[in-house]
Amino acid sequence: MSDAPRSLRVGLDSEASFRREYQSNIANGGIFVATNVDFDVRETVRVAIGLDWLGETVELDGEVVHVLTRELAGAGATPGVAVQFTLRASDLRGRFEPLLGKAVSDDEREAGTGRRGARRAPARVPVAIRTSEGVEV
């Protein structure tokens, strides 16, 4: 029995599709891989990112952090897994930005074509929850 991690592949067919994926996910340390194959949360995987327009593939190790099963995807979402890479985000940027033709600035990364308009930051906020019976938790 082999202890080698299972593999996933994402194919990006143009610099534009790579730029979108890079700005919204890779630069932040992860990627979503559409798949109908079952994976477990916390499973170690190897992701092959096919830079198809260059004829290159970059392989990265990561950990499955979220699974969207076929059953849960019934509402029109795509089944797959979210993978967090083991490399630090700064190392990922150093590895991928040269492939963009020019380095992506912090402003472009934060306000680019991805879903996120601002840099992520941890926050601690006090919370009080009141039940319908008036009990505060």
Side-chain angles (χ1 to χ4, degrees):
M1 186 166 144
S2 173
D3 288 342
R6 292 197 287 165
S7 295
L8 294 159
R9 185 175 194 289
V10 175
L12 302 170
D13 60 0
S14 68
E15 185 176 351
S17 64
F18 168 65
R19 180 176 290 277
R20 282 189 302 274
E21 187 63 36
Y22 174 81
Q23 289 174 333
S24 60
N25 292 309
I26 296 170
N28 293 309
I31 196 165
F32 179 80
V33 183
T35 181
N36 287 317
V37 177
D38 292 329
F39 284 85
D40 295 322
V41 172
R42 309 278 326 235
E43 182 175 345
T44 300
V45 294
R46 175 158 294 138
V47 180
I49 301 174
L51 308 173
D52 299 343
W53 84 102
L54 293 175
E56 295 182 25
T57 299
V58 175
E59 290 191 355
L60 298 168
D61 292 328
E63 178 181 341
V64 175
V65 294
H66 183 73
V67 176
L68 186 59
T69 63
R70 289 182 301 276
E71 294 79 22
L72 292 175
T78 303
V81 294
V83 175
Q84 179 178 334
F85 297 124
T86 56
L87 283 178
R88 294 180 314 193
S90 60
D91 294 333
L92 289 167
R93 288 191 294 270
R95 188 165 187 179
F96 284 101
E97 285 183 356
L99 300 172
L100 294 171
K102 69 175 185 73
V104 178
S105 70
D106 284 340
D107 290 340
E108 188 178 359
R109 185 181 302 105
E110 291 175 12
T113 59
R115 299 170 300 206
R116 202 167 291 109
R119 187 179 298 261
R120 290 182 180 179
R124 291 186 180 260
V125 181
V127 175
I129 300 172
R130 184 166 289 129
T131 68
S132 59
E133 291 81 29
V135 177
E136 192 168 296
V137 179

